[in-house]
Amino acid sequence: MTQAKDGGEAILEAFRNLDIDYIISSPGSEWSPVWEALARQKITETDGPTYINCWHETLAVNMAVGYSRITGRMQAVLLHAGVGLLQGSIGIHGATLGEVPLLVCSGESNSYGENPEMDPQGQWYRNLSVVGGPNKFVDPFTKWSGQATSPYTLYEQLVRAGELAQRIPQGPTYLDIPIETMIHDWSPSAKIRKVPAAPKLQPTPESITNLAELLVNAENPLIITESAGRIPEGFANLLKLCELLAIPVVESAPIYSNFPKSHPLHMGFNPKPYMNEADVVVVIASRAPWYPPYEGPNQATVVAMGETPIKGNMVYQNLMADHYVEGDLPISLGLVVDAVEASGAANSSKVAERRSRWEAEHNKIVENIKAAQEAAKTKSPIDPVWLCAALNEVMPNDAIYVEETTSHRGAINRHVDWDEPHRYLHPSGGLGQGLGLALGVKLAKPDQPVIALMGDGGFLYNPVTQSFGVAGEANLPFMTVIFNNGNYEAMRGNHLHYYPDGDAATSDIWHGVHIPGPEYAKLVEPFGGYGERVEDPAKLTQALQNGLDAVRQGRISIIDVVLSI
């Protein structure tokens, strides 16, 4: 018999009307009303979000982040009490930095067993209560947080939290929902609506005209970007603009694939060689386009472009901007393209000369890359450059790379090929998020191979067994490649930065550097996966092919590549 509707149904109805695809949860004891509503949804064959059972809170958040980063669609995450919120907090913080919309909820009790008519069970009284409420934990790094104040406000509070998450700047919102509110009867209001999408904001016409004129009149314009490829239309419109005026692009600390790497106007990942020659620099969707901040383009006119160039979640930021173009990035780029086309400047001899000059520069970069790869091919132990080149030989063009390394990030950006949007993603915030991000990407793109490129140190920060377990349970096979140098090499580098001739350097006595890691290839065995350890450079491509074949057969795989550095 179908039960009367309660707060669990209010939660599920809010998720439905927010157009949420998935409820991703590391389940807790407070969520029985939602489980009941989900059972009712299945019995009555009502359309609504699909539940995904996660084995760890960080994993749940990062799966939602990965899915949202690919699809642009906000998802819901249910965590357990304040403790689960703490476990998931690194992912929530990363979503804030990356401006990813999420609706995160966890529960509590506010009666603690004193109501004889409703027993929330003793764990809330003994262990799980948080003085001041669990939203205190995430206040500093969510866009908004609060508590559901009553069963009568629960539905609209959830809807509002979801709407807030999708407004610019996008980010995670959090609602604490007491079990007493969820278990209470709920009657829908007279008007239950499908929640409209957040509007896209356009820049002012003056800012577009000004930027177009600056670019048309510039002798040496330069574009620096971190996240222009967040939305595929942004990637496409950036490409159109650059081709019109022969503007070179540098991807500085990218977290997306933003521009075709094989394109003659792609100038790599370091803006410093080009900034002093530029007379106009356009910083597009970039939080920190150069480092250190004072070494920016002091002689150039700088235009900062994006939805929110000035980041309230950063303690310090210096973009050196002389002008701002603020609004939806694909729309803004499209408007600049239209203005440049209307000017007729794209056919000038100046643009033709610039195109030829930058194509020659790009060809030099490509030659150096090929030479480095050829030189690395037979080195033993395996050179990380050869590992990157081997990935190019084996992986199909539609492969999606989720990268979480530190010391190898530069080599991966430089040497692994991708030319389309959403072919590369890097987590925002701290280490330990890559596997969850890869699972979320696979959830969004089930027909494309997803490869997690992980440093051995970063890999160990992740909930590894939980990630592999969820991959099997949710049928999300993906491949992990370990860049295994046996060290936290970034720690050694940082130590040497401060003490280049110190006692540790002269004695080779290091702390916090060496990783006596496990046999990584065997970690997938309990989950029916394929694992292989590679030390011989001649066997590398076959090992990668074996891992890819396993994924195509529906199994997870891990290839542990032992590197020289």
Side-chain angles (χ1 to χ4, degrees), residues 228-546:
R230 172 178 176 161
I231 299 173
E233 291 79 9
F235 184 105
N237 286 344
L238 176 60
L239 179 58
K240 288 179 185 177
L241 176 61
C242 293
E243 288 184 333
L244 274 174
L245 292 177
I247 305 173
V249 174
V250 175
E251 297 182 84
S252 180
I255 62 172
Y256 292 91
S257 49
N258 300 301
F259 197 82
K261 291 172 70 174
S262 65
H263 196 283
L265 292 170
H266 192 279
M267 294 301 136
F269 300 89
N270 180 12
K272 286 187 178 181
Y274 312 112
M275 286 193 301
N276 290 334
E277 299 175 5
D279 53 355
V280 174
V281 175
V282 186
V283 175
I284 297 180
S286 187
R287 303 167 72 246
W290 47 77
Y291 184 85
Y294 65 83
E295 289 191 359
N298 292 306
Q299 305 304 314
T301 298
V302 178
V303 182
M305 186 177 192
E307 282 87 354
T308 54
I310 302 299
K311 303 300 183 185
N313 54 41
M314 295 180 69
V315 175
Y316 180 75
Q317 186 184 29
N318 181 7
L319 299 177
M320 295 188 175
D322 300 291
H323 305 277
Y324 290 93
V325 179
E326 298 193 22
D328 179 83
L329 186 59
I331 291 174
S332 301
L333 286 168
L335 291 171
V336 176
V337 168
D338 292 343
V340 170
E341 287 179 332
S343 73
N347 297 319
S348 70
S349 59
K350 177 174 69 174
V351 171
E353 182 277 329
R354 191 160 63 217
R355 194 183 313 277
S356 176
R357 174 161 48 89
W358 285 117
E359 184 172 354
E361 177 68 16
H362 173 82
N363 289 339
K364 290 179 184 177
I365 293 172
V366 172
E367 289 172 7
N368 290 336
I369 288 172
K370 289 181 178 179
Q373 291 175 355
E374 186 61 32
K377 192 170 186 177
T378 57
K379 288 183 180 179
S380 184
I382 296 170
D383 191 303
V385 171
W386 168 229
L387 172 51
C388 295
L391 286 165
N392 296 336
E393 290 190 16
V394 173
M395 297 303 153
N397 290 334
D398 66 344
I400 302 174
Y401 296 102
V402 175
E403 174 265 322
E404 189 176 36
T405 65
T406 48
S407 56
H408 296 119
R409 186 180 180 188
I412 290 168
N413 281 334
R414 185 172 170 83
H415 291 282
V416 178
D417 294 340
W418 54 76
D419 272 344
E420 300 292 333
H422 290 172
R423 293 294 187 268
Y424 167 82
L425 293 93
H426 179 84
S428 298
L431 293 171
Q433 304 181 74
L435 295 183
L437 191 63
L439 280 167
V441 170
K442 185 66 177 179
L443 183 64
K445 294 288 186 180
D447 297 327
Q448 292 179 231
V450 175
I451 300 95
L453 307 179
M454 310 291 293
D456 52 339
F459 178 78
L460 293 174
Y461 284 116
N462 280 259
V464 174
T465 56
Q466 296 91 333
S467 299
F468 293 160
V470 172
E473 182 178 350
N475 190 27
L476 300 171
F478 72 101
M479 179 176 175
T480 303
V481 177
I482 304 291
F483 282 63
N484 182 1
N485 59 11
N487 292 311
Y488 293 108
E489 197 59 40
M491 304 287 189
R492 191 202 312 267
N494 195 58
H495 190 133
L496 289 170
H497 174 76
Y498 293 112
Y499 302 98
D501 302 310
D503 290 335
T506 56
S507 66
D508 201 31
I509 297 173
W510 302 100
H511 293 82
V513 171
H514 302 300
I515 303 174
E519 295 186 54
Y520 296 103
K522 293 185 177 181
L523 295 177
V524 295
E525 290 180 1
F527 307 97
Y530 177 82
E532 185 173 347
R533 177 181 169 96
V534 193
E535 299 181 59
D536 184 348
K539 297 179 179 179
L540 180 54
T541 55
Q542 185 58 56
L544 293 172
Q545 186 65 57
N546 294 341

Side-chain angles (χ1 to χ4, degrees), residues 95-176:
T96 293
L97 295 181
E99 297 183 10
V100 180
L102 295 180
L103 179 48
V104 182
C105 303
S106 72
E108 65 168 331
S109 170
N110 54 22
S111 64
Y112 306 111
E114 293 285 21
N115 181 355
E117 296 181 0
M118 208 293 285
D119 178 14
Q121 302 181 57
Q123 68 268 29
W124 301 99
Y125 175 55
R126 294 189 178 94
N127 297 310
L128 297 180
S129 64
V130 178
V131 176
N135 50 300
K136 288 180 64 177
F137 290 150
V138 294
D139 271 341
F141 50 84
T142 51
K143 185 177 179 182
W144 178 89
S145 70
Q147 184 191 73
T149 54
S150 80
Y152 309 104
T153 60
L154 172 59
Y155 174 84
E156 288 294 345
Q157 283 187 279
L158 275 166
V159 168
R160 180 173 179 270
E163 291 187 295
L164 281 168
Q166 296 176 84
R167 258 57 185 182
I168 300 300
Q170 294 182 327
T173 55
Y174 167 74
L175 191 65
D176 164 35

Side-chain angles (χ1 to χ4, degrees), residues 35-233:
W35 310 153
E36 189 71 12
L38 283 167
R40 188 182 306 116
Q41 175 178 276
K42 187 171 185 178
I43 291 167
T44 60
E45 299 182 348
T46 303
D47 289 338
T50 299
Y51 173 76
I52 293 184
N53 187 50
C54 244
W55 297 20
H56 193 279
E57 291 85 355
T58 299
L59 185 60
V61 175
N62 287 131
M63 279 188 70
V65 169
Y67 184 88
S68 295
R69 284 182 63 174
I70 292 291
T71 65
R73 296 168 61 84
M74 179 186 71
Q75 301 306 304
V77 179
L78 302 185
L79 304 177
H80 176 47
V83 291
L85 197 58
L86 288 171
Q87 287 275 22
S89 61
I90 187 173
I92 299 170
H93 176 251
T96 293
L97 295 181
E99 297 183 10
V100 180
L102 295 180
L103 179 48
V104 182
C105 303
S106 72
E108 65 168 331
S109 170
N110 54 22
S111 64
Y112 306 111
E114 293 285 21
N115 181 355
E117 296 181 0
M118 208 293 285
D119 178 14
Q121 302 181 57
Q123 68 268 29
W124 301 99
Y125 175 55
R126 294 189 178 94
N127 297 310
L128 297 180
S129 64
V130 178
V131 176
N135 50 300
K136 288 180 64 177
F137 290 150
V138 294
D139 271 341
F141 50 84
T142 51
K143 185 177 179 182
W144 178 89
S145 70
Q147 184 191 73
T149 54
S150 80
Y152 309 104
T153 60
L154 172 59
Y155 174 84
E156 288 294 345
Q157 283 187 279
L158 275 166
V159 168
R160 180 173 179 270
E163 291 187 295
L164 281 168
Q166 296 176 84
R167 258 57 185 182
I168 300 300
Q170 294 182 327
T173 55
Y174 167 74
L175 191 65
D176 164 35
I177 310 176
I179 182 68
E180 291 82 357
T181 297
M182 285 191 272
I183 211 78
H184 195 282
D185 290 348
W186 175 72
S187 297
S189 65
K191 182 177 180 180
I192 295 288
R193 70 199 194 282
K194 278 289 183 183
V195 179
K200 294 182 178 180
L201 306 180
Q202 294 197 25
T204 64
E206 294 80 10
S207 66
I208 293 295
T209 300
N210 179 56
L211 176 54
E213 290 178 352
L214 284 169
L215 291 175
V216 166
N217 294 323
E219 295 295 327
N220 291 299
L222 173 68
I223 288 175
I224 304 172
T225 186
E226 173 194 279
S227 302
R230 172 178 176 161
I231 299 173
E233 291 79 9

